[in-house]
């Protein structure tokens, strides 16, 4: 089966009323962890790579690892998505390489730091839609600014300072024709999301619900949605790490989001924590070890467990074989039909 359009995966998720985790990758072990978790839970998969990941892996390595994953796990629908494209050019290079979905994050200027104007965002996102849809490639946009910084991308703001305005979100979708919309409802990138335990009022779920009411056909995306579980933090600190106390997004809040139009949930920090904890444990307990496999194998296993748990919690488990993946050419023809109508 070829790499799949994210639009199709999210349309199916909407029909089934579930969410799909989007997990970041930089190397082979992470891809293996995700695919094993997907097989174990029978889940469709969104794998995403940031600009940082593409640089780190020279992106050809990453792309060919994805093709290998596709070949080894033919029963799993697999999307390769660009996370936080900072410019039309970055999205273009991802599409040329073979990504089946791209995010144009026009909420920030191409420096990936400075919040942009609404007009700039519309213009850049429209341009990417015009380039991607004729190839059947999905487009995610963002309105409002997420908190924190991820792989050097982000304004470094507090998650609550630039929340998405629902009316503006509706206008944005109308003007751009995108497929999925990342919204700012109080989440932040990175491990340090909240300095105290979230109360259920921490995320602006009322705003999410309002946006979903205005845009029932648009797939909503929650970024910065790691839960930063205490047990994963504890393993790191137990074996010599120095994480400060921190809290992430409770899974129950994500599940409430999924009931209200959230179809894609970005998770990276939890996997980073799992990997680092497992490696620290081996280093601490077996300081005589020097074969990288002795710590990369448990690291991969630890990440697999987190991913499988999230796949189950988001509801995507059991849905891998619900539908036959459509070739991108069919998706392209659908976009063309819609445009002509
Ligand atoms: Zn993000």
């Amino acid at each position: 089966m070829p790499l799949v359009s994210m639009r199709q995966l999210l349309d199916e998720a909407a029909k089934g009323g579930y969410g799909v985790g989007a997990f970041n990758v930089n190397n082979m072990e992470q891809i293996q962890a995700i695919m094993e978790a997907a097989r174990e839970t029978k889940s469709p998969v969104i794998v995403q790579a940031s600009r940082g990941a593409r640089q780190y892996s020279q992106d050809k390595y990453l792309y060919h690892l994805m093709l290998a994953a596709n070949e080894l796990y033919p029963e799993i629908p697999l999307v390769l998505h660009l996370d936080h494209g900072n410019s039309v050019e970055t999205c273009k290079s991802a599409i040329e390489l073979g990504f089946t979905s791209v995010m144009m994050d026009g909420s920030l200027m191409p420096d990936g730091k400075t919040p942009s104007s609404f007009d700039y965002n519309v213009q850049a996102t429209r341009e990417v839609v015009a380039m991607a849809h004729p190839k059947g490639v999905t487009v995610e946009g963002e309105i409002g600014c997420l908190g924190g910084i991820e792989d050097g991308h982000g304004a470094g703001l507090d998650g609550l300072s630039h929340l998405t305005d629902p009316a503006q979100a509706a206008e944005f979708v109308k003007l751009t024709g995108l497929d999925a919309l990342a919204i700012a409802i109080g989440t932040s990138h990175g491990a340090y999301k909240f300095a105290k335990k979230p109360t259920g009022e921490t995320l602006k779920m009322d705003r999410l619900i309002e946006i979903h009411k205005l845009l029932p056909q648009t797939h909503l995306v929650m970024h910065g949605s790691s839960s930063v579980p205490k047990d994963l933090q504890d393993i790191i600190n137990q074996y010599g790490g120095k994480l400060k106390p921190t809290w992430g997004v409770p899974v129950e809040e994500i599940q409430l989001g999924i009931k209200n139009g959230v179809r894609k949930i970005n998770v990276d920090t939890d996997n980073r924590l799992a990997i680092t904890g497992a490696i620290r444990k081996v280093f601490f307990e077996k300081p005589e070890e020097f074969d990288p496999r002795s710590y990369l194998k448990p690291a991969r296993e630890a990440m697999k467990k987190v991913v499988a748990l999230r796949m189950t919690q988001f509801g995507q488990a059991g849905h891998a074989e619900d539908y036959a993946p459509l070739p991108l050419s069919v998706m392209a023809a659908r976009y063309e039909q819609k445009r002509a109508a």
Side-chain angles (χ1 to χ4, degrees), residues 24 48 83-84 103 105 140 142 146-147 150 153 182 188-189 221-225 264 266:
N24 288 77
Q48 59 185 11
D83 193 17
H84 290 287
M103 176 182 191
D105 180 358
E140 175 183 336
E142 174 172 328
L146 293 152
E150 177 186 30
H153 183 100
S188 298
H189 294 116
V221 182
M222 276 175 78
H223 280 242
S225 292
K264 173 172 179 272
N266 289 8

Side-chain angles (χ1 to χ4, degrees), residues 122-316:
V122 168
Q123 158 76 19
T125 308
R126 271 179 84 113
E127 233 178 284
V128 172
V129 169
M131 175 172 72
H133 281 182
K135 297 188 163 68
V137 171
T138 311
V139 179
E140 175 183 336
E142 174 172 328
I143 185 94
C145 285
L146 293 152
I149 296 176
E150 177 186 30
D151 274 0
H153 183 100
L157 302 161
D158 174 83
L160 295 168
S161 63
H162 284 67
L163 296 174
T164 301
D165 173 71
Q168 205 182 45
E171 182 71 5
F172 185 67
V173 170
K174 202 173 89 189
L175 291 171
T176 58
L178 49 65
D179 303 281
L181 182 65
I183 52 169
I185 53 164
T187 62
S188 298
H189 294 116
Y192 298 101
K193 298 181 192 301
F194 305 115
K196 57 184 203 291
K197 196 168 189 269
T199 58
E201 309 272 290
T202 314
L203 289 188
K204 303 296 166 203
M205 296 312 280
D206 46 345
R207 208 172 267 252
L208 170 88
I209 291 166
E210 209 182 320
I211 296 168
H212 180 50
K213 274 196 189 130
L214 289 174
L215 293 167
Q217 306 299 331
T218 303
H219 302 306
L220 302 180
V221 182
M222 276 175 78
H223 280 242
S225 292
S226 276
S227 300
V228 198
K230 180 140 191 327
D231 57 332
L232 295 181
Q233 297 179 43
D234 286 349
I235 294 174
I236 291 180
N237 287 340
Q238 186 185 342
Y239 296 106
K242 280 198 176 128
L243 294 177
K244 291 175 277 177
T246 177
W247 283 269
V249 181
V251 169
E252 309 81 71
E253 299 230 9
I254 297 170
Q255 288 168 332
L256 180 60
I258 293 169
K259 286 201 180 84
N260 291 285
V262 170
R263 296 295 158 232
K264 173 172 179 272
I265 305 104
N266 289 8
V267 174
D268 188 16
T269 297
D270 288 352
N271 293 329
R272 294 179 174 197
L273 293 173
I275 288 170
T276 300
I279 291 176
R280 278 195 173 276
K281 185 165 187 281
V282 175
F283 283 178
F284 187 87
E285 288 178 344
K286 298 178 190 159
E288 72 284 4
E289 274 292 354
F290 62 91
D291 180 346
R293 289 170 298 186
S294 70
Y295 50 88
L296 291 178
K297 219 172 141 184
R300 184 171 67 191
E301 185 59 28
M303 173 165 163
K304 188 201 100 180
K305 272 195 195 141
V306 173
V307 172
L309 179 62
R310 294 288 175 269
M311 286 172 160
T312 307
Q313 290 165 330
F314 299 161
Q316 75 204 82

